[in-house]
Amino acid sequence: MADYRGLGFDPAPGSAGAVAAASARCAVEVPVPGVPVGWEGAAAEGLRTRLEAVVSELTAVRRAMRAASEVLDAWATTLLGNQRRAEDLDRRAVALRRDLSDAADEVDRAGALAAFTPAHAEVHADAVARHDRVARQLDDVLEEARLLARDHHAEARRVAERLRSEEPSTALADALADFSALTAELASVLLGPPARAAGRGAADAFAAGLG
């Protein structure tokens, strides 16, 4: 996790690796067995009929899982872009805080001289103006970071809603524990703290990465 010393907060929390792991979970294919070769009779026909129904259900599940994987892949790309922007803003904020500290020292020095030498009053005024200019620049960077955080969190909520909409509502889907847990929990883990430091499954990894 990046240490945003200049900004004082993380505008784009998340782990692209955790998102990729969740996407990979969604992309797993679920095979359906066939009727054993040589098995005939009413029982075999019954199994064949049931398997055809399962294949139909599984097609819907696979479609939903692929859609969820695409949503997560797009979010990973957005996440990386937001984090690069956050890191750039933080570098600018660090430099400006350093300049602001130097400017404050200059204001103090010029003010002390102006108190004894009226000729230094203009120097002091220039130092104050420079300090105020740097302070405004820092405020602009911090505001940009706050807007980035707002947009980042809004997009995370949209991702959670899209994932919810892709969750298949079939009996077969209930058996897909990883996918079911992932889609059910994503809305809370996108922006909230992880439920535990170490877990198993895509949702746990995603929660740990995005906390």
Side-chain angles (χ1 to χ4, degrees):
M1 181 180 293
D3 179 17
Y4 293 95
R5 296 182 298 109
L7 299 177
F9 67 100
D10 184 353
S15 166
V19 178
S23 176
R25 283 285 193 186
C26 291
V28 171
E29 291 289 338
V30 181
V32 177
V35 176
V37 176
W39 187 18
E40 301 293 341
E45 286 302 316
L47 177 59
R48 184 175 291 107
T49 299
R50 177 55 189 146
L51 288 177
E52 289 173 355
V54 168
V55 168
S56 177
E57 292 179 350
L58 184 58
T59 298
V61 173
R62 283 172 172 165
R63 186 182 303 115
M65 292 178 75
R66 282 195 298 270
S69 180
E70 290 172 1
V71 170
L72 288 170
D73 287 342
W75 171 242
T77 299
T78 299
L79 177 59
L80 287 172
N82 287 351
Q83 289 178 338
R84 283 194 293 269
R85 186 177 167 199
E87 290 165 1
D88 177 66
L89 289 171
D90 188 63
R91 284 191 292 270
R92 290 164 58 188
V94 167
L96 286 168
R97 288 188 187 280
R98 185 168 53 246
D99 291 346
L100 189 63
S101 178
D102 293 342
D105 292 341
E106 183 59 29
V107 168
D108 291 342
R109 287 192 296 269
L113 290 174
F116 297 100
T117 309
H120 283 86
E122 185 175 350
V123 174
H124 178 256
D126 290 343
V128 170
R130 177 176 178 270
H131 176 276
D132 292 346
R133 183 171 62 254
V134 174
R136 286 193 299 271
Q137 291 172 344
L138 178 58
D139 287 342
D140 288 344
V141 169
L142 294 177
E143 177 62 17
E144 192 173 344
R146 285 189 287 269
L147 291 175
L148 172 60
R150 182 200 65 186
D151 293 344
H152 181 84
H153 285 69
E155 181 61 23
R157 286 190 290 270
R158 284 192 290 271
V159 168
E161 289 304 318
R162 289 186 64 189
L163 288 166
R164 275 204 186 108
S165 71
E166 296 297 347
E167 184 173 5
S169 56
T170 68
L172 183 59
D174 294 336
L176 303 175
D178 285 338
F179 182 66
S180 179
L182 173 65
T183 53
E185 295 177 25
L186 266 174
S188 62
V189 303
L190 272 169
L191 301 177
R196 46 192 171 278
R200 60 184 177 82
D204 292 323
F206 201 72
L210 291 179

